[in-house]
Amino acid sequence: MIPDDTGSFIRGRWAPVEAPDGVLTRAAPGDLDDALPPYAFALAHVDDAVAAARAAQPAWSALGLDARIAHLTRLRDALAQHENALALAISREMGKVIREARAEVKAMIAKVDITLTEGLALVRDTTLDARFSWRWRPHGVLAVLGPFNFPLHLPHGHIVPALLLGNAVVFKPSEVTPGCGALYARVVEAAGLPPGVFNLVQGDGVVGAALGGHEGVDGVLFTGSYAVGEKLRRVNVSSPGRLLALELGGKNAAIVLDDAPFEKAAEDVVVSAFSTTGQRCSCASRLIVTRGVAERFIAEVARRAAALTVGHPLDPSAFCGPLASPRALEKFEALQKLAEEEGAHPVIAPAEAAVTWEGRAHRGCYATPRVRVVTARMKRSAYQREESFGPDLAVYVVDDLDEALAVADDTDYGLTAGVWTESEAAFERAASALRVGALGWNAPTVGASSRLPFGGVKNSGNHRPAGSFSTLYCAYPMAVTRG
């Protein structure tokens, strides 16, 4: 029998997996000799968790808003009490450098307060006059399927508004980061939420599909790849009443014009491309630069990228850590091979990352930053069109803003973009032309504030932005007419 905390968390208790359908086994991506605890899973636990949530949800909703706010405030305080343990878990299991892991946990703590203020303001019950009003009602049971790149902050960004609005939750962490999910459940347990209001099940894609299409679920909140989002859409195609909130991938552009603030633009582009080792849906994977400044700017970006420290996740000097898993590294390197075959010219020669920490070498999923100039745009180019999710930046040289906007919008995705220029008129032209959910002006594409809506168009989402707007998809308005 697998120990309790590597099983599921259902009805406020840990449910060990006595007859596993599978076991998640991984090694720490920063040190492949560091074996992580195994997490067994059972498909039957999905039914149990959904049933627990359905049973608990009516009483949770009936508690009233003030009581739910009090519970979530205790959850915020519990997160703060376990801040260090949460950051270390993220860093060890996902490979995020400790500086970013700590920032992720701080964002989780802040997310509660943002949801209770800006988020809640969007879904206040409203009275028009003596006859007409509307109120906001919970959907019921919401499934939350988490990603590996922000294994706690992003699912937490669904869970908090879902609970606030009176829903019960079943959370399945990414199979890459089950330990982070288990630790989050232990924090929820310590905060004392009523049994069954929050439930956790572990598992692979089969478990995710079972939860995402479960007949007892009223909504599915997912952050991750377009491919998985499309599978969830298909599994729910015959259930139009089941809400889907999908925040998917990006192929984001950084547009640098001749009049850009040079030093700031170079710094921002490097931060946009290589934060979290390129493993953010908001990372800029395409640099589009106008010809007048292109040669100097590409050289400066390449110089800065080559100088970034690739190191062990716990090394405070490291800017980039490892990719999250051997599979992620394999996919990234396969895309790099395609880039070479398609003629994308390397500005930085690929190098093997030699990582030493605390006096010894570490064998991990490391990749050094890549910068490549694309000399021929090909509509079917996998390298140019697919999300790389690694430390890679493809560079396009264009003649003017019009061409830059055309190249930037020539993608199946529409999540983020950035424009670097001193001209407000140029920025406003870009804002009118680009189909993206988030746009920066002389600011990185990464690091969006949770006080803003966050989501994309085209294949980057389904018009249900998260951030402070996440409350809007966690409830529905009921119109009331009095005779």
Side-chain angles (χ1 to χ4, degrees):
M1 181 185 297
I2 304 297
D4 285 0
D5 63 355
T6 60
S8 300
F9 184 72
I10 301 172
R11 295 183 184 87
R13 298 188 303 273
W14 288 96
V17 179
E18 299 180 0
D21 291 312
V23 179
L24 303 175
T25 57
R26 298 105 47 248
D31 182 355
L32 293 175
D33 296 320
D34 177 15
L36 295 167
Y39 283 81
F41 60 87
L43 200 55
H45 280 193
V46 173
D47 289 339
D48 292 345
V50 172
R54 292 222 73 83
Q57 189 273 327
W60 174 247
S61 178
L63 271 181
L65 182 61
D66 289 344
R68 293 195 298 272
I69 288 174
H71 275 290
L72 290 172
T73 301
R74 285 193 288 274
L75 173 59
R76 179 202 63 199
D77 294 344
L79 290 167
Q81 290 168 9
H82 295 86
E83 184 175 345
N84 190 57
L86 290 163
L88 289 173
I90 294 168
S91 196
R92 181 187 181 201
E93 188 169 46
M94 181 265 164
K96 185 171 292 188
V97 294
I98 191 64
R99 166 183 49 83
E100 290 191 354
R102 295 191 191 284
E104 177 171 349
V105 180
K106 288 188 181 301
M108 294 171 66
I109 297 167
K111 175 66 181 179
V112 177
D113 290 329
I114 291 168
T115 304
L116 299 183
T117 52
E118 283 104 328
L120 186 56
L122 298 173
V123 289
R124 288 289 190 185
D125 294 350
T126 302
T127 298
L128 297 179
D129 54 36
R131 291 195 66 202
F132 303 121
S133 64
W134 69 83
R135 63 190 63 172
W136 292 86
R137 303 288 300 137
H139 295 292
V141 174
L142 297 181
V144 175
L145 306 178
F148 67 79
N149 62 332
F150 281 82
L152 293 182
H153 173 53
L154 290 178
H156 177 74
H158 295 307
I159 291 166
V160 170
L163 295 176
L164 174 66
L165 273 300
N167 303 280
V169 166
V170 180
F171 169 40
K172 190 200 89 67
S174 165
E175 55 266 40
V176 177
T177 53
C180 290
L183 181 56
Y184 183 82
R186 291 199 289 272
V187 174
V188 171
E189 183 181 24
L193 264 67
V197 168
F198 169 88
N199 306 273
L200 170 126
V201 293
Q202 301 282 12
D204 58 10
V206 174
V207 173
L211 177 59
H214 198 286
E215 62 181 10
V217 163
D218 300 294
V220 181
L221 317 181
F222 170 72
T223 304
S225 70
Y226 166 76
V228 176
E230 176 62 10
K231 289 178 182 178
L232 287 170
R233 187 192 67 80
R234 290 183 180 182
V235 123
N236 286 290
V237 72
S238 298
S239 302
R242 185 174 299 138
L243 177 133
L244 287 180
L246 305 176
E247 196 271 282
L248 307 176
K251 192 68 176 173
N252 310 304
I255 300 172
V256 176
L257 304 182
D258 285 356
D259 68 340
F262 188 90
E263 293 294 329
K264 185 178 193 312
E267 177 67 17
D268 287 351
V269 167
V270 169
V271 168
S272 298
F274 303 114
S275 290
T276 320
T277 322
Q279 297 172 108
R280 297 193 190 192
C281 57
S282 55
C283 276
S285 56
R286 296 182 297 151
L287 167 61
I288 303 166
V289 57
T290 46
R291 200 169 300 279
V293 73
E295 183 177 356
R296 189 164 67 99
F297 192 79
I298 294 167
E300 179 62 15
V301 166
R303 183 189 71 78
R304 290 172 182 256
L308 294 176
T309 301
V310 178
H312 189 276
L314 295 181
D315 184 348
S317 70
F319 185 89
C320 294
L323 295 180
S325 68
R327 182 170 178 267
L329 178 61
E330 182 181 339
K331 289 177 66 176
F332 176 74
E333 293 297 356
L335 203 61
Q336 293 302 304
K337 184 177 180 181
L338 280 175
E340 294 174 11
E341 293 172 356
E342 292 173 2
H345 173 68
V347 183
I348 303 175
E352 185 175 344
V355 171
T356 302
W357 171 241
E358 293 188 331
R360 71 180 184 89
H362 289 268
R363 183 176 59 92
C365 303
Y366 296 99
T368 57
R370 319 290 168 87
V371 178
R372 297 179 182 273
V373 174
V374 174
T375 55
R377 286 171 54 208
M378 294 175 282
K379 282 193 172 293
R380 294 193 174 275
S381 161
Y383 171 65
Q384 295 184 54
R385 304 194 74 82
E386 291 182 11
E387 191 176 26
S388 61
F389 231 62
D392 177 79
L393 184 64
V395 182
Y396 300 77
V397 178
V398 296
D399 289 328
D400 52 29
L401 176 58
D402 287 336
E403 187 181 2
L405 295 176
V407 173
D409 210 36
D410 184 20
T411 172
D412 296 328
Y413 293 99
L415 187 57
T416 70
V419 181
W420 283 263
T421 176
E422 297 289 4
S423 168
E424 183 174 0
F427 172 75
E428 291 299 337
R429 278 182 60 198
S432 296
L434 294 173
R435 293 194 64 212
V436 294
L439 182 63
W441 181 12
N442 296 335
T445 62
V446 299
S449 169
S450 291
R451 299 179 65 192
L452 297 173
F454 185 78
V457 295
K458 299 195 275 189
N459 285 353
S460 291
N462 65 336
H463 307 283
R464 298 189 184 277
S468 63
F469 277 42
S470 54
T471 50
L472 290 170
Y473 57 69
C474 290
Y476 68 92
M478 174 189 284
V480 177
T481 301
R482 299 179 186 273

